[in-house]
Amino acid sequence: MKHLGILLSGRGSNFLAIADAMDRGQIEGADISIVISNRAEAAGIAAARARGLATQVIEARGRKRAEQDAEIVACLREHGVELVCLAGYMRLLSPEFIAAFPNAILNIHPSLLPSFPGLDAQAQALAYGVGISGCTVHFVDEQLDHGVIVLQRAVPVLQGDDEEALSARILEQEHLAYPEAISRVLSGNYAIVDRRYVARASQNAALIEEAK
Ligand code: GRF
């Protein structure tokens, strides 16, 4: 059994989509061993508690990021976490946190990266006037919304969309993308070549071999 740790700060709909997918058997051989929030009032942490999952609130309380992160890493380790999933976790991770879980931290972002990193990605996409947006599940590295992309799903931006309408259309795809990306990563059936995620299908064997 592979153990997942979820980090969230708010609503928690991506966390719930992951938990539901797991309950349906769509993420095989894995469980959620801990849900951590940096905000006590996060709806997501209440939802996790209601599902009977182990939860922990670890707030910044004016501490330095590295201190808070050390506590989070210790908590994840205590629960045997092998894959960390950021699900609306609104704090940057320290380099020490990232180093503690090499290629084992995923994030979901509501745009087709590298377009529109950072806050309010949906509003950024609308303001820019793109015709297509979507979501990206990626490994976390030290730059914001930057690591290796595991999977993306696109949606159209429609005439008359406001931020709410576009966000809802993207969120629907997020809830499909995150469980799928987690399954892919847990399968171990991939390699990272330069900064590309390459599925280990036979036609990619040469590419992976070449990169060794
Ligand atoms: C999602 O749009 C996600 O892409 C972004 O933060 C939002 C979190 O929503 N990183 P939820 O808390 O999972 O409902």
Side-chain angles (χ1 to χ4, degrees):
M1 189 63 75
K2 294 253 166 100
H3 300 312
L4 264 61
I6 308 273
L7 264 66
L8 53 78
S9 303
R11 184 175 56 182
S13 73
N14 276 289
F15 148 63
L16 287 170
I18 295 165
D20 287 345
M22 228 168 235
D23 288 352
R24 286 193 300 265
Q26 286 169 355
I27 304 175
E28 274 177 50
D31 64 13
I32 296 172
S33 64
I34 181 77
V35 181
I36 300 173
S37 174
N38 64 323
R39 293 176 57 232
E41 66 278 20
I45 204 80
R49 237 177 260 131
R51 288 181 89 107
L53 294 170
T55 62
Q56 187 78 41
V57 174
I58 302 179
E59 288 182 312
R61 291 193 305 263
R63 290 182 297 175
K64 291 217 168 73
R65 190 186 311 282
E67 274 175 50
Q68 185 197 13
D69 278 5
E71 195 180 325
I72 295 173
V73 168
C75 179
L76 292 167
R77 293 235 190 278
E78 216 173 278
H79 288 85
V81 168
E82 288 145 286
L83 182 66
V84 180
C85 299
L86 308 185
Y89 184 65
M90 299 306 283
R91 258 175 93 75
L92 286 175
L93 303 190
S94 60
E96 292 80 7
F97 189 153
I98 293 165
F101 289 93
N103 286 331
I105 309 174
L106 292 175
N107 182 43
I108 186 154
H109 183 74
S111 76
L112 295 177
L113 291 172
S115 292
F116 315 125
L119 291 176
D120 302 323
Q122 303 94 332
Q124 290 185 55
L126 280 175
Y128 198 93
V130 294
I132 293 172
S133 192
C135 61
T136 304
V137 183
H138 64 91
F139 284 105
V140 172
D141 67 10
E142 289 194 18
Q143 290 178 55
L144 178 67
D145 299 328
H146 173 270
V148 169
I149 292 169
V150 178
L151 126 73
Q152 296 185 301
R153 292 179 78 99
V155 304
V157 180
L158 303 178
Q159 293 293 319
D161 268 355
D162 57 10
E163 194 183 339
E164 197 186 332
L166 180 59
S167 298
R169 194 174 306 119
I170 293 173
L171 193 63
E172 221 174 279
Q173 298 305 313
E174 292 186 41
H175 295 164
L176 300 174
Y178 217 164
E180 167 70 24
I182 290 168
S183 291
R184 285 189 187 184
V185 169
L186 289 180
S187 78
N189 219 5
Y190 68 94
I192 295 174
V193 180
D194 300 323
R195 62 153 291 132
R196 278 175 301 159
Y197 168 96
V198 182
R200 232 179 251 281
S202 52
Q203 68 268 30
N204 288 328
L207 191 59
I208 291 170
E209 209 43 54
E210 212 174 279
K212 276 184 184 160

